[in-house]
């Protein structure tokens, strides 16, 4: 997992984040800064936004990744991160 950034690895990252498996964050950062497809990154940012700790991490990673994303992906992730941690508007 650590050596990959294939979009097909996205479900593995999601499972790791959902399970609170912290070692997934390093390869996930690599993935999020190299793959900009909205269908892959938006669900990951949504899951990361569920807790304050992961949200802070997601904001830091997104600051690096955002310039590489398509404007449509930027808007989608901006909207996700505009909601408070936990998902309540």
């Amino acid at each position: 997992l650590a050596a990959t950034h294939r979009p097909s690895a996205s479900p593995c990252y999601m499972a790791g984040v959902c399970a609170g498996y912290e070692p997934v964050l390093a390869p996930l950062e690599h993935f999020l800064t190299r793959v900009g497809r909205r269908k892959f990154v938006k669900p990951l940012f949504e899951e990361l936004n569920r807790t304050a700790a992961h949200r802070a991490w997601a904001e830091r990673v997104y600051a690096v990744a955002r310039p590489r994303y398509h404007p449509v992906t930027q808007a989608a992730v901006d909207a996700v991160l505009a909601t408070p941690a936990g998902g309540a508007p």
Side-chain angles (χ1 to χ4, degrees):
L1 183 62
T4 186
H5 64 273
R6 295 184 318 269
S8 61
S10 183
C12 296
Y13 296 128
M14 181 66 79
V17 171
C18 288
Y21 183 65
E22 295 297 318
V24 79
L25 295 179
L28 177 56
E29 180 173 1
H30 183 81
F31 178 84
L32 290 172
T33 57
R34 285 161 182 77
V35 174
R37 293 282 309 269
R38 179 179 52 157
K39 74 178 194 174
F40 298 124
V41 302
K42 183 179 180 237
L44 291 165
F45 279 107
E46 288 171 336
E47 187 60 36
L48 289 163
N49 195 42
R50 290 184 187 266
T51 66
H54 281 153
R55 179 193 170 91
W57 181 89
E59 288 174 337
R60 182 184 60 77
V61 172
Y62 184 53
V64 173
R66 190 179 191 281
R68 297 179 177 109
Y69 288 175
H70 186 278
V72 173
T73 303
Q74 290 176 351
V77 178
D78 287 348
V80 168
L81 296 179
T83 60

